[in-house]
Amino acid sequence: MSSVCAISPSDKRAQARRVGDDLLRHHGKKPYYSVEEVKAANRRNQVPFDVECWSHALFNTHEDFDAMHAALGEACDYVGMKTQMLQAVSLGEGGWFDFDFDLSWLEFPDIDWSVFDFFD
């Protein structure tokens, strides 16, 4: 992960909310979304290209995330980026980050679900 795609925790939280709400609205509640679904949600929400990967870290499978970046000739850290995204939407202090990071975004403890306006 390069510093070019670095964003602040508040921007990560806002991006997770906007893209997550969009995914829920268009595709319903799913453990993971396809790369194309996340790309479309990023476009609809005007997420800048250089920070789109944060949405992919939160909403794609590890395998899909890695395959997408390999196809682009990039090496991004799925676990590191997913950790930061989950910390941005977490209620806790992050002590639960010894969990399996291949779990979906719906399976992590201590998520502040109020971040997602459309979530029921």
Side-chain angles (χ1 to χ4, degrees):
M1 169 179 61
S2 72
S3 60
V4 174
C5 71
I7 58 176
S8 72
S10 63
D11 288 343
K12 288 177 185 118
R13 184 179 181 90
Q15 184 170 327
R17 180 189 51 78
R18 288 191 333 267
V19 173
D21 283 346
D22 184 282
L23 289 165
L24 288 164
R25 204 174 301 110
H26 285 89
H27 305 288
K29 185 173 27 172
K30 297 175 11 178
Y32 300 100
Y33 297 90
S34 73
V35 169
E36 290 307 315
E37 289 169 337
V38 176
K39 282 182 181 182
N42 280 328
R43 280 191 303 272
R44 284 190 293 269
N45 287 278
Q46 301 176 343
V47 174
F49 179 76
D50 60 337
V51 296
E52 284 182 355
C53 53
W54 292 99
S55 301
H56 290 283
L58 186 57
F59 297 112
N60 290 146
T61 66
H62 194 162
E63 182 178 293
D64 286 347
F65 178 91
D66 287 347
M68 178 188 71
H69 284 91
L72 296 171
E74 300 173 345
C76 290
D77 178 11
Y78 175 82
V79 172
M81 293 178 79
K82 189 167 187 172
T83 299
Q84 290 182 45
M85 286 299 282
L86 289 167
Q87 286 173 331
V89 296
S90 174
L91 292 170
E93 298 298 314
W96 48 267
F97 284 103
D98 60 347
F99 279 76
D100 176 2
F101 280 91
D102 288 326
L103 293 174
S104 92
W105 67 287
L106 295 172
E107 298 175 293
F108 279 89
D110 297 330
I111 298 297
D112 178 4
W113 296 111
S114 69
V115 168
F116 303 99
D117 297 331
F118 198 77
F119 196 81
D120 57 358

